[in-house]
Amino acid sequence: MPARLYAFVPEEQNLSNAEREQLIEGLERELDEYYEQKCGKGSLETYLIQNEIWHLSEINYQVRSGYQKYLREYYVDSTVRNYLLGIDRVKLRLIIENAQTLKGKWNAQNHPDLLHDILFLRYHPNPAIAKRYEYTTDISKLVWDFRAKGSDICKQQILTVLEDIMQQKITMKECTRHLNGLKSVYEFCMQEQIEDLRYLTQKQFDKIENYGDTDYKKKCAKQELRACQEYIFCHAKNIAWDSTIWFMERLYLEEYRVNPSSPVKTISFMNIEKKDDRELVQEYMKYCLGITHLALHVIQKEFYKLQSFVIWLEDTTEISLKQVSENEIKEYFQIIDYKEASYFNDIIIAIYQFYEYLQTKNIIKEVPFNYQYYLKKEILHHNDRSVEQETYESILKHLKDFRKSRD
């Protein structure tokens, strides 16, 4: 064995010459088997021995980074890139072999250790992901430091989306664009201490713009954050009804309830800040979607009317939806009094039906207002003639249909 190899071994290792020689011989055998490059094997062997790395399975991103610094002390950039390709191919062969074992296959799919370490996508335990950027020279996008202080739930969500992107059949350019946007999302989540992407509020969501230094990067970050929310909601084992945004494609509604020319894609509760209020509205919307047979665009319109009231209530009072009295109801109706009669009446009915639902569920004792007291008279137009007429009948019919669907 060359004397130069012994010089790199720290004295505190306390290995005898025979033990050291045995370890080096084992490393050499592994290199002979796995190293495919025509040159660079000696440099890699020297570096590994110097750092007491006796098995190729110990190679990770930190080892690669150290090897890169070591090479730059002695070689030009082109040689450094070539030698790094050598260590990367060694690691890829090990990953492919390991994934064929029972334990390795489980690790490739579940990878429990990735959330607390530096993830280098070329060294991902899943070979399909490791191969994706095998020849890329700019590796900054491939390095994800999951050691950052933050929620493990959020890290797992981002990692899951990341792995999905890497396995999609899209161009390298598209993949890179998604990764760049997702990097901004990850930075945003760690800095803002986001616990779970399922429960983002609009105020939190809007902060993503601070994590892009150009309009294009800001746009990519927002698109990727929305894509994360969609992926998490649509791929969850069970429908997460408490998520702050629902994606309609997951709900598999009947075709007759969906307008194919202008489909409703989401119902977002992100503007409702108070969790208790949001949960009540979500329960009501869940009822409308699951029990009634209303068209989706009708449910969406009802939701918008109700949401406007909830946002006003949160912005102007400290009162929760369950504590609302007729005083708050009356004040809100006075504020929106400028709206035309038909739309104004629709708002009244939407709010009344919500509270009637809460009463039916024994969440409140009684509806806090009498809707008939606030209804406006409507003027119906027919062939340039206007006839003033009461419209209570149509409104009452609306309520009757609602109660019938509820029962």
Side-chain angles (χ1 to χ4, degrees):
M1 181 181 65
R4 64 184 177 84
L5 297 182
Y6 286 110
F8 291 117
V9 182
E11 295 180 1
E12 60 268 24
Q13 191 177 20
N14 294 323
L15 290 173
S16 67
N17 286 346
E19 290 173 326
R20 191 174 296 114
E21 184 173 354
Q22 188 177 9
L23 288 171
I24 292 174
E25 287 176 354
L27 179 61
E28 288 174 342
R29 284 194 298 271
E30 288 188 28
L31 284 169
D32 289 340
E33 180 180 357
Y34 289 97
Y35 198 90
E36 299 175 347
Q37 297 284 95
K38 293 183 179 179
C39 54
K41 183 167 70 172
S43 295
L44 179 57
E45 180 183 347
T46 301
Y47 174 77
L48 294 177
I49 293 174
Q50 175 184 354
N51 289 274
E52 304 173 15
I53 299 170
W54 304 115
H55 299 283
L56 297 182
S57 60
E58 298 176 45
I59 293 174
N60 55 24
Y61 177 72
Q62 291 89 329
V63 171
R64 185 189 191 275
S65 297
Y67 184 48
Q68 184 177 30
K69 291 178 183 178
Y70 167 78
L71 291 173
R72 284 175 174 169
E73 294 179 7
Y74 303 102
Y75 303 104
V76 296
D77 287 346
S78 59
T79 303
V80 171
R81 287 194 296 270
N82 191 34
Y83 284 10
L84 287 175
L85 185 59
I87 191 175
D88 289 345
R89 286 181 172 173
V90 167
K91 184 65 176 179
L92 180 58
R93 278 197 60 186
L94 290 167
I95 290 170
I96 293 172
E97 285 190 8
N98 188 53
Q100 293 171 351
T101 66
L102 199 58
K103 181 179 178 182
K105 189 180 232 181
W106 181 87
N107 190 53
Q109 297 299 322
N110 298 279
H111 39 70
D113 300 328
L114 295 186
L115 295 183
H116 304 97
D117 203 349
I118 296 177
L119 168 61
F120 182 42
L121 292 178
R122 270 190 198 166
Y123 292 176
H124 193 285
N126 187 330
I129 295 175
K131 288 179 181 178
R132 187 71 189 257
Y133 280 91
E134 185 177 358
Y135 298 103
T136 304
T137 54
D138 179 15
I139 66 168
S140 59
K141 66 178 71 67
L142 308 182
V143 181
W144 294 72
D145 191 351
F146 284 105
R147 299 174 304 178
K149 184 179 180 181
S151 164
D152 281 357
I153 294 174
C154 190
K155 286 182 181 180
Q156 182 63 67
Q157 291 169 336
I158 291 175
L159 178 58
T160 302
V161 174
L162 169 64
E163 291 169 339
D164 178 70
I165 291 171
M166 292 292 290
Q167 296 179 86
Q168 289 178 18
K169 293 181 179 180
I170 55 178
T171 65
M172 193 69 76
K173 183 177 180 181
E174 289 177 295
C175 187
T176 300
R177 177 174 59 83
H178 284 304
L179 290 182
N180 289 338
L182 194 60
K183 267 284 180 69
S184 297
V185 173
Y186 176 65
E187 181 185 354
F188 156 75
C189 290
M190 295 302 103
Q191 291 291 329
E192 301 296 331
Q193 291 296 295
I194 303 300
E195 290 292 325
D196 193 324
L197 289 173
R198 291 173 296 181
Y199 309 130
L200 274 182
T201 64
Q202 193 62 47
K203 288 182 179 178
Q204 291 174 318
F205 186 94
D206 291 340
K207 291 180 181 179
I208 190 67
E209 291 194 350
N210 299 329
Y211 293 84
D213 51 8
T214 65
D215 289 341
Y216 175 74
K217 289 183 179 179
K218 290 178 181 179
K219 181 180 178 181
C220 287
K222 290 182 73 173
Q223 289 177 341
E224 210 57 49
L225 181 53
R226 180 67 81 220
C228 286
Q229 291 178 297
E230 182 176 2
Y231 183 90
I232 293 164
F233 185 84
C234 292
H235 289 81
K237 184 177 180 180
N238 300 309
I239 296 176
W241 294 109
D242 56 348
S243 295
T244 52
I245 183 168
W246 297 350
F247 294 85
M248 296 299 102
E249 65 175 281
R250 173 66 196 272
L251 304 185
Y252 305 109
L253 297 173
E254 299 91 336
E255 289 185 8
Y256 73 86
R257 301 179 67 187
V258 180
N259 181 358
S261 63
S262 181
V264 176
K265 295 183 178 180
T266 63
I267 293 181
S268 174
F269 307 89
M270 294 173 63
N271 282 308
I272 303 176
E273 289 285 330
K274 292 181 180 179
K275 182 180 177 182
D276 291 344
D277 290 348
R278 185 169 63 241
E279 288 177 347
L280 290 178
V281 178
Q282 286 174 327
E283 283 297 318
Y284 179 58
M285 285 296 106
K286 182 179 176 182
Y287 157 76
C288 291
L289 289 167
I291 304 301
T292 73
H293 296 281
L294 296 173
L296 189 51
H297 75 276
V298 173
I299 294 175
Q300 185 188 52
K301 288 179 180 179
E302 296 294 295
F303 168 70
Y304 285 151
K305 297 181 183 76
L306 178 59
Q307 179 183 237
S308 296
F309 169 66
V310 178
I311 292 173
W312 171 84
L313 189 69
E314 291 186 347
D315 289 344
T316 59
T317 74
E318 297 296 325
I319 299 171
S320 69
L321 282 172
K322 291 190 292 186
Q323 299 170 329
V324 165
S325 68
E326 188 163 7
N327 291 332
E328 289 77 43
I329 298 288
K330 182 178 180 180
E331 183 179 353
Y332 181 68
F333 289 162
Q334 288 173 343
I335 290 173
I336 63 170
D337 189 52
Y338 67 92
K339 296 183 182 293
E340 63 180 44
S342 61
Y343 191 68
F344 180 85
N345 290 341
D346 286 344
I347 294 173
I348 291 176
I349 296 302
I351 295 174
Y352 177 80
Q353 288 179 159
F354 168 70
Y355 276 105
E356 191 175 39
Y357 168 80
L358 297 186
Q359 182 187 35
T360 303
K361 291 292 184 178
N362 294 319
I363 297 173
I364 60 174
K365 291 183 178 180
E366 59 183 5
V367 178
F369 69 104
N370 183 345
Y371 74 93
Q372 296 189 40
Y373 176 78
Y374 295 96
L375 292 175
K376 289 183 178 181
K377 293 181 180 180
E378 295 183 33
I379 299 176
L380 302 181
H381 298 273
H382 299 285
N383 299 325
D384 296 329
R385 293 179 300 164
S386 61
V387 179
E388 186 173 345
Q389 139 181 359
E390 298 282 353
T391 60
Y392 291 129
E393 291 81 2
S394 62
I395 294 172
L396 289 172
K397 184 178 182 300
H398 189 171
L399 284 173
K400 184 178 179 181
D401 292 342
F402 171 76
R403 291 188 179 117
K404 185 177 179 181
S405 66
R406 184 193 63 198
D407 296 337

